[in-house]
Amino acid sequence: MDLTTAEENYLKAIYHLSDGGKKSVSTNDIAAEMNTKAASVSDMLRKLGEKEVIEYRKYYGLQITETGKRHALQTIRKHRLWEVFLVEKLNFAWDEVHEVAEQLEHIHSTLLIQRLDSYLNYPKFDPHGDPIPDEFGDVRSRPRVQLNEMDIDQTGQIVAVKDSSAAFLRYLDKVGAYIGARIKVLDKVEFDGSLEILVDQKKTLFMSKDVAGNILVLQS
Amino acid sequence: MDLTTAEENYLKAIYHLSDGGKKSVSTNDIAAEMNTKAASVSDMLRKLGEKEVIEYRKYYGLQITETGKRHALQTIRKHRLWEVFLVEKLNFAWDEVHEVAEQLEHIHSTLLIQRLDSYLNYPKFDPHGDPIPDEFGDVRSRPRVQLNEMDIDQTGQIVAVKDSSAAFLRYLDKVGAYIGARIKVLDKVEFDGSLEILVDQKKTLFMSKDVAGNILVLQS
DNA sequence: TTTCGAAATTAGGCATGTCTAAATAAATGA
DNA sequence: TCATTTATTTAGACATGCCTAATTTCGAAA
């Protein structure tokens, strides 16, 4: 059962909106996400139901089937692998890759994706810090570490803070180390455990071990 | 005037069958090449005529326009660059690449193809030995200028260096001004002709007039 | 519990790109 | 030259994927 590009895009949107099949999704939600109208969505839901990637009962709602999840995760896997390729090999900025990856994710070739994965050295995360499902659709649990525990040259994305006092958040905002920022450890001072950090491939900043200990990073 | 994937495929077939516009092509020839029926071809020829990539008079024949040739060559260029990528980087065998390249050639992104070309080191032939059209048969080819001759706010892409000594290349690599990098002139010092350059919308760097004189830029 | 409004679906239309069958133009040869 | 064959085009269908407008269903408020 092959899916068209449009069907793959709808399925991916449904997967994301439902948080992997956990939450329920409305026709209007999907229409908003896909920039289409509710009528088009109803049409598509019928087709996706016939192809058995969702279970669809009109007016009641839908549920992704196991087959559907596999398909969606496969598309997400391709999208994120291409993003890694674009950033690491073709020097795209991490915010330039989405549109192109949206096209590349619909190329059909199992061999291509296997080889690309190998060529990129089996990356576990894309340039935005999102995990890349393996070829069986399994997603690796996201290892959050304290920034002060990272080694030189390791990279990641700031995903949370331990101390969320206003003062601390103000400080982070001021230095540009917001939630979501991608960071790289440039240097570590052994003496006091302070760090030199590259933020978003642009700014470098120094922080004490105490500050770094309050920042949780998703390693990539 | 954008072409659909189907239109690009017809145009490419016409270009090949006509040997670049030299020979005449019949509706049946095209139908055979495309694995479709003559009726479908007639339909498509009308559309391609309306989009002015061919000059079409029914029952008489067709001729590719200059615009059409440009489009066809661009598609062929993309196809062959992807073939080089698949063989050289992903270890595809030369006879495994065609089907995948048929899909990849329809990805729309000028930046992607520029970067891919650079990444592959500007190959002149694909794995089958067919020549790869260069970027400038397609749109109006722009002259390469020395970086030191550009004015403030002008943009372009580094395409070559005059001095290719190892030391100079090491320097370029160190500052991030690799072949393929997109640059913008932020400032020029009149006194000594040195420049402030924005590289890939991220890093700024200063360089002397002498260094800039060794860098060739394709203006955009 | 009944009604009313929001959400969802159906009806019908349009564009693309394909097909088969019918019609028409061009080419060929007696 | 004119009839016949061949090439090509048109006519009309169908599938996909989108739209607007009309209709149906559900659920929440009275």
XYZ file of all heavy atoms in Angstrom, chain B residues 30 105-106 108 134:
45
model
N 7.750 10.616 -28.537
C 7.647 11.081 -27.158
C 6.830 10.109 -26.317
O 7.210 9.763 -25.199
C 7.025 12.495 -27.105
C 7.906 13.481 -27.874
C 6.850 12.952 -25.664
C 7.258 14.823 -28.124
N 15.887 14.856 -9.104
C 16.053 15.961 -10.054
C 14.900 16.969 -9.991
O 15.022 18.063 -10.527
C 16.186 15.430 -11.482
C 14.878 14.922 -12.064
C 15.022 14.268 -13.421
O 16.149 14.055 -13.868
O 13.975 13.961 -14.030
N 13.808 16.581 -9.353
C 12.661 17.497 -9.307
C 12.565 18.281 -7.999
O 11.609 19.021 -7.792
C 11.365 16.725 -9.572
C 11.350 16.045 -10.896
N 11.352 16.738 -12.094
C 11.390 14.743 -11.235
C 11.372 15.875 -13.102
N 11.399 14.651 -12.613
N 13.120 21.310 -5.850
C 13.326 22.706 -6.218
C 14.078 23.465 -5.134
O 13.558 23.678 -4.044
C 11.975 23.390 -6.458
C 11.244 22.824 -7.627
N 11.736 22.872 -8.913
C 10.058 22.174 -7.705
C 10.886 22.293 -9.731
N 9.857 21.853 -9.022
N 26.839 23.258 -16.877
C 27.149 24.160 -15.763
C 25.993 25.110 -15.498
O 25.037 25.189 -16.261
C 28.474 24.887 -15.964
C 28.372 26.017 -16.968
O 27.242 26.473 -17.260
O 29.416 26.440 -17.470
